[in-house]
Amino acid sequence: MHPDIPLKQCLEELGIPHAALTDDAWESAVDVELPAGDRMTFPVLFAPFEDDFSTAFVRLAVVPFPELASGEAAPRVAVQLARLHDRIMGVKFALDEDGDWGRVLDVPAADLSAIRLEAGLRQLALYSGACLTEIRASAPPDSLPASPKGAE
């Protein structure tokens, strides 16, 4: 547990409904309106971690990211994600321990506040929605799995 990281306090201050996954990780959902007017809801994981240099961060993650194929389609998807990733600052694609693709944003724990968490969550949601829209527009329809509830 990371008692010095005020993640739960920030979630409560913002009024973000959340459920505990562990003593210091929570899940929630974020709803976002995209520039084209579409609305999307994404599941979000909030979890503290330390990098290889012992710097503490809070990871905001949309995992699994909707509509990213695995198996035979994975190499093609990886190339497409790399192209999208090249044009986006801060928010990145990541592959977790379970093999699920996710969109993540790591916020330095030393800088964590309710305002920074809210800004990061909004950035993650907007970029996730924009990427999902672009993936849908550029991939053949039969190559994508079905959308999760709310990400239509």
Side-chain angles (χ1 to χ4, degrees), residues 3 13 15-16 25 27 33 36 43 51 56 59-60 78 84 99 105 107 111-113 126 129 145-146:
E13 184 177 328
I16 296 174
E27 65 180 348
E33 183 173 344
D51 68 6
R59 174 159 284 181
L60 313 179
L84 288 171
L105 176 64
V107 178
D111 298 334
L112 188 67
S113 67
L126 285 171

Side-chain angles (χ1 to χ4, degrees), residues 13-25:
E13 184 177 328
L14 292 169
I16 296 174
H18 54 282
L21 296 173
T22 66
D23 286 344
D24 57 357

Side-chain angles (χ1 to χ4, degrees), residues 23 43 56-57 77 86 90 98 107 132 138 143 148:
D23 286 344
F57 289 88
V77 169
D86 183 54
D98 298 327
V107 178
L132 183 55
S138 63
S143 71

